Amino acid sequence: MKISMRSSRSTGGRRTTAVVALGAVLALTATACGDDGSGAGGDKGAEGSGKGKIVFWDNNGGIRTDVWKEIIADFEKANPDIDVEYVGIAAKEYQSKVDTAIRGGGLPDVGGVGAAMLAGFSAQNALEPLDNRLTGSSLNSKINKDMIESLRAAGGGDGRLYSVPTSANNGVLYYRTDLFGKAGLKEPASWDDFYKAAEKLTDAGKNEFGYTIRGGAGSIAQALDAMYGQSGITSFWDAEKKKTTVNDPKNVEALEKYAGLYKKVTPSADVNNDFAKMVAQWDSGTIGMLHHNLGSYQDHVKALGVDKFRGIPQPVGASGKRVQVSNPVDGLGLFKSSKNKEAAWKFIEFAASHQENSKFNESAGQVPANTEAAKDAWIDKAEPTKLATQALNDGSTTIVQLPYYLPDWNTISKADNEPNFQKVLLGKMSAKSFLDGMAEQLNEAQAEWNEQKN
């Protein structure tokens, strides 16, 4: 088995709206007029012999490398005539790496393709539609239908499936049961409980804080979750006004309160926190609460054991109902330029099978896409995963669907606005100005998308 760890330096900067729109138009035009099957650069790829070498790009390299090594070893044992080259790419660099390869060549055969980046890749005509392959495979009727529909919706509007779901990640509020018990605090089930606990658990002089906030890479999704969770607004778009609800006054008020936690009940270093720094800080320190997702559960278990913390669904708002933003479904995509699509599909089919999908998600602490894997015993032992699954299925939670289908969503929600959110935390920009600016970008992107569809 060949294992190589590679990384790419993010190019930064925002792709212009015009360029993205043109890509989407071309992709949609090709579909409407009869797509010739060409991938990026006109490369149709080939089915191949179903043997030989394939290249797999992991979209969360480092974090998930060990479990992917196990899955690849299992696959190569079951398929001795196929060799998988693993390339681990850090999550924050992955989209840039793939975009560069789409333009200049060098795409892998298979890659991690989650909902947040799916529209951008499919708009550039880089992904193979997988509907027929899935229907004719051993996976047929064994993959969670809701996750499939989520990826269809995120794929750009043509209704095709460009990624086979592997897992769903859900937002979680982790809290230190030992610290809460010592302070005489109850479980932070509501946002009011959360704010009261954050204040009571803070003693900056002793380097004790109630909360750690995400101010660096990946901060926008967490901020949106806190906003909508408090405001109770249940739709990302106002259908009547045809505008985003991001800068609704209730959301502005919620973000002001949430951002106001910084440096009052959080460490000052939090302004630069990506998820790895935030998780490591919480696991090693005396911080009361952490918002992250199911993916960090095993890290907490290793650092703290199972007795010093719990992971519960997001707090409920003033209405008594839980509202949270959608967390993207992750999956595996087959790139059109692959010269060995048959072997690449075998790998996707194997990785999404019962045993391997269960192995991946137990390691990641996420909800399996394979419906047989979702019934395995480990889920009952992983409380946050069990509670998240219940919350998503018992009617207690309303999900605000983020517009992953917009080709520029990933850029707007990351490169464009993460630096501005840091300004909000530092008091250099108001929450209203920040949300108004994001809303303007989103409304423009949505209007262009609607125009292209029509």
Side-chain angles (χ1 to χ4, degrees):
M1 175 173 61
K2 298 178 181 178
I3 303 288
S4 64
M5 290 297 297
R6 305 176 187 171
S7 64
S8 63
R9 190 176 301 275
S10 177
T11 58
R14 181 175 186 261
R15 292 177 296 166
T16 65
T17 303
V19 171
V20 175
L22 178 60
V25 170
L26 292 175
L28 290 169
T29 302
T31 302
C33 298
D35 189 356
D36 66 0
S38 299
D43 190 347
K44 298 180 182 180
E47 283 299 308
S49 65
K51 302 177 181 180
K53 174 185 171 182
I54 60 172
V55 178
F56 165 55
W57 283 8
D58 175 11
N59 61 339
N60 202 1
I63 305 299
R64 303 286 175 243
T65 295
D66 289 345
V67 70
W68 275 119
K69 285 183 180 181
E70 292 184 29
I71 293 170
I72 290 170
D74 292 346
F75 175 75
E76 290 183 335
K77 184 177 180 180
N79 298 271
D81 51 1
I82 302 176
D83 177 45
V84 181
E85 179 182 345
Y86 171 92
V87 182
I89 302 172
K92 64 182 179 181
E93 299 175 344
Y94 188 78
Q95 181 176 352
S96 173
K97 177 80 171 179
V98 174
D99 283 339
T100 299
I102 290 173
R103 294 190 296 269
L107 282 167
D109 300 278
V110 179
V113 182
M117 62 187 75
L118 186 54
F121 295 165
S122 64
Q124 296 175 81
N125 205 20
L127 294 168
E128 181 89 356
L130 299 175
D131 305 81
N132 291 338
R133 293 180 192 269
L134 180 60
T135 301
S137 79
S138 61
L139 297 176
N140 189 36
S141 301
K142 294 181 180 180
I143 301 296
N144 183 287
K145 293 180 180 179
D146 290 336
M147 295 188 200
I148 288 176
E149 290 310 308
S150 291
L151 290 185
R152 285 191 194 281
D158 64 4
R160 295 181 179 181
L161 182 69
Y162 291 102
S163 181
V164 172
T166 54
S167 59
N169 215 348
N170 206 51
V172 175
L173 176 60
Y174 293 105
Y175 74 97
R176 289 283 297 269
T177 52
D178 54 344
L179 300 181
F180 269 67
K182 188 184 297 184
L185 290 165
K186 62 180 181 179
E187 177 181 293
S190 71
W191 281 100
D192 283 343
D193 294 339
F194 165 78
Y195 282 108
K196 289 174 184 176
E199 185 174 352
K200 187 166 184 178
L201 291 170
T202 298
D203 188 338
K206 295 181 180 179
N207 201 35
E208 297 174 353
F209 297 95
Y211 185 59
T212 176
I213 200 168
R214 189 169 183 170
S219 61
I220 302 303
Q222 183 171 299
L224 291 175
D225 217 8
M227 279 168 39
Y228 282 94
Q230 293 174 82
S231 72
I233 295 171
T234 57
S235 175
F236 196 78
W237 300 103
D238 184 322
E240 184 177 340
K241 296 180 180 178
K242 297 182 179 179
K243 304 268 185 193
T244 180
T245 58
V246 158
N247 61 337
D248 183 282
K250 291 182 180 178
N251 275 335
V252 172
E253 181 182 0
L255 186 62
E256 286 173 345
K257 188 171 184 179
Y258 179 72
L261 295 172
Y262 175 64
K263 288 183 72 172
K264 292 180 181 178
V265 299
T266 79
S268 59
D270 281 8
V271 70
N272 294 313
N273 268 355
D274 58 12
F275 87 90
K277 292 176 184 175
M278 182 177 65
V279 167
Q281 179 174 255
W282 193 71
D283 286 345
S284 63
T286 53
I287 298 174
M289 294 178 289
L290 161 76
H291 272 110
H292 193 232
N293 54 47
L294 293 169
S296 60
Y297 173 68
Q298 292 296 340
D299 295 318
H300 308 321
V301 171
K302 290 176 185 177
L304 303 169
V306 295
D307 298 326
K308 291 184 178 180
F309 81 97
R310 288 190 72 202
I312 61 175
Q314 300 281 45
V316 298
S319 67
K321 296 183 179 180
R322 180 180 297 108
V323 177
Q324 63 185 70
V325 300
S326 53
N327 282 276
V329 174
D330 205 4
L332 295 171
L334 172 58
F335 287 96
K336 272 190 176 181
S337 57
S338 171
K339 300 298 191 296
N340 202 350
K341 293 178 183 177
E342 183 179 341
W345 173 253
K346 286 181 182 178
F347 178 68
I348 293 175
E349 187 178 18
F350 185 87
S353 67
H354 177 181
Q355 182 177 344
E356 304 304 319
N357 191 242
S358 185
K359 178 181 294 185
F360 176 85
N361 283 287
E362 183 174 9
S363 172
Q366 297 174 180
V367 180
N370 187 293
T371 54
E372 294 174 335
K375 299 175 183 177
D376 285 351
W378 67 265
I379 291 180
D380 285 333
K381 299 176 183 177
E383 185 188 36
T385 303
K386 180 180 179 180
L387 293 177
T389 302
Q390 290 174 349
L392 291 176
N393 293 302
D394 65 7
S396 66
T397 303
T398 300
I399 302 295
V400 177
Q401 295 293 338
L402 298 179
Y404 299 125
Y405 58 85
L406 293 177
D408 224 15
W409 164 251
N410 223 26
T411 305
I412 291 172
S413 64
K414 293 183 182 294
D416 282 3
N417 285 294
E418 285 176 356
N420 286 336
F421 183 65
Q422 289 180 316
K423 292 179 182 178
V424 175
L425 294 180
L426 295 169
K428 297 180 179 179
M429 177 181 284
S430 70
K432 186 176 187 305
S433 294
F434 167 70
L435 293 175
D436 282 346
M438 182 184 289
E440 183 178 354
Q441 292 175 305
L442 288 165
N443 290 333
E444 181 181 354
Q446 179 70 12
E448 288 177 346
W449 175 247
N450 289 335
E451 183 178 347
Q452 291 157 15
K453 285 202 304 180
N454 297 329

